[in-house]
Amino acid sequence: MIHITTEPLNPQEVTDQVRKDSNGAVITFLGTTRDSTEGRRVHYLEYEAYQPMAQDMIRQIFQEVRERWDVQDIAVAHRLGRVEIGEISMVVAVASSHRERAFEAAQYAVDRIKEMVPIWKKEVFEGGEVWVGSEEESSKVARS
Amino acid sequence: MKVRVRFFAIYRERAGTSKAEVELPQEATPTDLLAELRSLYPSLPRSDSVLIAVNSQYADPHSPLHEGDEVAFIPPVSGGLV
């Protein structure tokens, strides 16, 4: 399951997608919006995606996970648009017969999503706004 | 040849649009396209850390484009800090 939506996310739904009687371990990661970054007080976030490439890249990550850990059951949900502080922006659920694989696969999937899926995050904070990961953000950090 | 361009995030904001269509010579590459776009949209970010996607797949910026290709500029995604 890959669910990209402007609606609030339901972690239980994502978790339920990966549960099977053959799975003994289920890891659900929630990415939530923090109220501060690098000393900036954040008001809210905005997410933007390049669809359908975002879906294609998540599918590719599923394939990578399946090949490395023989973990078949993975589900991802990501929120787009405005997300308020403390809300859930991403859910990644991974299930396996054994917990070591589930933990590792979940971490890998989360890191890979953040590394290469074309979804961008804009932080609107006290005094301005910035696209996270951009050069503009690095120069703001350097100056502060 | 005509290619379609998609702008996102900071590129979209600086260009003032999310889409464009550009006429390019045959064999032009994404690097050539970006040079052309910088003259059309002078406020585009100057950085080198943008990735290129052609038809929704990450692509080599030096591979020639084809008529009708959709080229997206992928500025750094929210990856950042662990």
Side-chain angles (χ1 to χ4, degrees):
Chain A
M1 170 223 214
I2 300 172
H3 189 48
I4 301 181
T5 176
T6 52
E7 296 297 309
L9 302 181
N10 182 342
Q12 192 59 56
E13 264 175 27
V14 185
T15 304
D16 288 346
Q17 288 289 319
V18 303
R19 292 192 59 186
K20 269 206 195 79
D21 290 349
S22 53
N23 286 328
V26 181
I27 305 296
T28 300
F29 170 87
L30 302 184
T32 60
T33 52
R34 256 183 296 141
D35 58 8
S36 75
T37 317
E38 310 276 349
R40 303 191 288 269
R41 204 176 135 252
V42 180
H43 289 173
Y44 63 91
L45 299 175
E46 269 178 19
Y47 288 88
E48 181 177 339
Y50 177 24
Q51 303 247 54
M53 186 178 172
Q55 243 123 359
D56 291 343
M57 292 299 102
I58 295 172
R59 237 172 260 124
Q60 181 183 312
I61 292 167
F62 284 8
Q63 191 53 35
E64 291 171 12
V65 168
R66 287 181 178 127
E67 282 165 11
R68 286 160 103 110
W69 286 281
D70 190 29
V71 162
Q72 302 304 313
D73 302 300
I74 325 164
V76 169
H78 206 299
R79 185 112 174 253
L80 296 183
R82 176 167 172 155
V83 181
E84 305 296 337
I85 299 306
E87 292 189 347
I88 301 167
S89 49
M90 178 169 77
V91 184
V92 175
V94 173
S96 173
S97 49
H98 292 93
R99 67 183 182 278
E100 192 179 327
R101 268 182 241 150
F103 276 121
E104 287 179 8
Q107 176 152 37
Y108 176 86
V110 172
D111 289 347
R112 277 296 271 161
I113 288 168
K114 286 170 169 290
E115 185 180 59
M116 64 84 115
V117 173
I119 298 179
W120 297 272
K121 172 167 83 175
K122 183 164 83 170
E123 241 177 43
V124 178
F125 55 89
E126 193 86 41
E129 54 182 52
V130 74
W131 288 97
V132 176
S134 67
E135 311 253 311
E136 208 180 44
E137 190 201 20
S138 321
S139 70
K140 271 187 159 81
V141 171
R143 264 187 263 125
S144 65
Chain B
M1 62 176 170
K2 251 202 181 84
V3 300
R4 294 169 295 142
V5 178
R6 302 286 302 271
F7 292 122
F8 296 95
I10 192 161
Y11 275 68
R12 176 180 54 74
E13 287 182 350
R14 297 280 182 86
T17 181
S18 62
K19 291 183 173 172
E21 251 192 15
V22 181
E23 189 70 48
L24 291 172
Q26 291 293 327
E27 300 296 303
T29 66
T31 304
D32 298 328
L33 170 60
L34 187 52
E36 176 64 16
L37 289 169
R38 287 196 192 292
S39 66
L40 293 169
Y41 304 99
S43 322
L44 285 181
R46 284 270 125 210
S47 83
D48 296 322
S49 57
V50 65
L51 296 179
I52 309 289
V54 177
N55 302 326
S56 299
Q57 293 291 320
Y58 283 112
D60 179 348
H62 305 295
S63 277
L65 294 167
H66 302 95
E67 172 76 35
D69 276 347
E70 176 172 286
V71 185
F73 293 92
I74 314 284
V77 293
S78 345
L81 311 164
V82 173

